[in-house]
Amino acid sequence: MRIIARFILLFVSLHATAENGHQLWLRAKNVRPVQLVCTRSSETLNLAKEELRSGWLGEANASVTLTVKPDKAVKGDGFRLSKNEIQANTETGILYGVYELLRCQQTGQSVDEKVSNPSYERRILNHWDNPDGTIERGYAGLSIFWRKGDEAFAVTEADKRLWTEYARANASVGINGAVLNNVNASLDVLSAKTLGRVKAIAAILRPYGIKTYLSVKFSSPSMIGGLKSSDPLDPKVVQWWTTKTKEIYRLIPDFGGFLVKANSEGQPGPQDYGRTRADGANMLADALNPFGGIVMWRAFVYSASEEDRAKQATTEFLPLDGQFRDNVIIQVKNGPIDFQPREPFSPLFGAMKKSNVMPELQITQEYLGQSVHLVFLSTMWEEFLQSDTYQEGAGSTVARCTDGSIFRSKHTAIAGVANIGLDANWCGHPFAQANWYAFGRLAWNNMLSSKQVADEWIRLTFGNGGSSAYSEEWVSNFLNPVRQMMLESHEVTVNYMMPLGLHHIFAANEHYGPGPWWAPQGTRKDWTPPYYHQADTLGIGFDRTLTGSNAVSQYHEPLSTQYADVKSCPEIYLLWFHHLPWEYRMKSGKSLWDELCYHYDAGLQDVRRFEKVWSSMQTYVDKERFEQVQSKLREQSANAQIWKDACLLYFQQFSRRPIPNDIERPVYELDKLLIMKMQTN
Ligand code: GCW
């Protein structure tokens, strides 16, 4: 008996110390006492105080003053910070100031006097979670919000604990909104039971400054409301949404609003009734307006028409500019197609001058190795945010076009499709946590460098809880090489998946492995890779110049000319905009075919190098995370081999050229690759 008891104890204590990654980047240790001066008290301020007490690494017994008072230099939930004082217009601003102060301490930076204002008013996670608990494009377990079964709507203590941890993690990086369900919205979302649960979630998120939003199905009035139609101009439909919206606000007074995917990939929308997208968005916006709610109306639209898919969103939305209510924000994916490993920015940014426009980024790695590949997305987002649209002269970056610096938008926002699930470590891959972190940090400050973001994240996540742990040795042997690996990881992945502007050459619908050949009979052309790579014996690439789809014309000069001219088109976008002969001379002097081969091979070699980098980190990382990352990198490099072999051997059938001799030979046969299904875990 005693032995069993001892075993249980051992198991419990082992379990308690096993590192499962659940704490994310919030790991302060060796904290010191601190004296707090704050005359007010509220749920949010109490959280702020509690965070300071449990995370203070400054001078022992120092005194810190928290003051809520109006200050013109401070905007929204921004704050004024100094070593011993945090001042803000709002209580949430105080909380953000506390997290910033603690982050400085925990990462070993000095706390400089400064005002910090958010780049975007709304910094929102989009959860593609379904009511049955599954997650579309989720790779880290089931939903933290929804589940199926008898207990689906019971709000348990475990639920509350998890939602609190989730809220805290978000607030610590400035995220202040969560869309709780999939844009492919279920009709159940507006049921009384579901709204009851939303109310419970909202109650937990509220003190952390986070608003809840819902994705709604446009056809709800006819599908669940008993109406004959869902025509946005039908007064009964308007009335239905008005009543429903009131019901929601009765339950959740600070409800954020609706996210809508309409007339896109089979979803219903205003066009089903001969109305415009603006008619649809405005009808919902009017219902929300009395309560201060907003509509995020997605521009992810394309149909099986003959027009180049990359052009369709702009063709449809640009003529509607100026027709949307000021509480509508057009939510545009970063690129014109669909979260590909690399895309140029969507030409809608900066072009819709009379509408609120917000970027949608994808944190979940649908097209970037899911929860297996180590890919730090911050560099990709930085490249996007800093892209110059030239819409109002040089320097009209996407960041400035969307954050209110250039256009006087009533609302500014940015969304990221979440990578969060019930997995103990939330995101599947330990390094995928860095993408959640980076989204929040860039949403708060869209000028941050990825280098800084990576640096912070590594220190907080692997640094043993505080600045005292950052010896020079640790910095040079752990932090620097790991940060370098993170900063290179996106380019490396692009290299072994889709270099030089190639895009959408995945096998089947799971978007994981390579399938440049994938085109089952009867499948819509624009859902198959050959539509995108256009490889033939003459060359490869999608001609989007005047001789092709002329998508280049959607960009503002000088970009339009720059992209159209093969000489000035950046090589990272070459095959996005041009169909070129295999023997085309690249800037390196190599032929296009050879260059393609070198890119694929470099990607593979670099992942192998990452494996070695990580293997040398054993002494700096707990066993669990060390081994988990090691095993995932092993799989990533096996996958990179498959990507390289599949793409080169397949395209070689058209190029009819040898793979340069100094490149490692493919190890697979093409006919095996054609039938191979790459596993995602
Ligand atoms: O990227 C594609 C995904 C779909 C997704 C869609 C969208 C939610 O493959 O799974 O649906 O985009 O963004 O609406």
Side-chain angles (χ1 to χ4, degrees), residues 279-296:
D279 293 331
N282 291 343
M283 180 270 295
L284 294 174
D286 290 343
L288 288 156
N289 195 39
F291 308 98
I294 60 159
V295 173
M296 292 166 287

Side-chain angles (χ1 to χ4, degrees), residues 265 300 309 333 335-340 343 366-367 504:
E265 296 187 330
F300 176 66
R309 174 170 167 189
K333 288 188 182 181
I337 290 190
D338 185 13
F339 297 139
Q340 291 306 292
E343 297 192 35
E366 174 181 356
Y367 293 102
H504 229 314

Side-chain angles (χ1 to χ4, degrees), residues 128 136-137 182-184 261 264-265 298 300 333 338-339 360 362 366-367 509 511:
W128 286 356
E136 182 153 351
R137 312 304 177 183
N182 191 353
V183 288
N184 289 325
K261 172 174 177 178
S264 161
E265 296 187 330
R298 294 176 91 227
F300 176 66
K333 288 188 182 181
D338 185 13
F339 297 139
E360 177 179 320
Q362 195 180 41
E366 174 181 356
Y367 293 102
N509 303 312
H511 300 156

Side-chain angles (χ1 to χ4, degrees), residues 445-460:
N445 179 357
N446 59 16
M447 298 300 287
L448 272 187
S449 73
S450 298
K451 187 172 173 203
Q452 182 181 333
V453 177
D455 195 284
E456 287 175 8
W457 180 79
I458 296 169
R459 286 173 190 267
L460 297 171

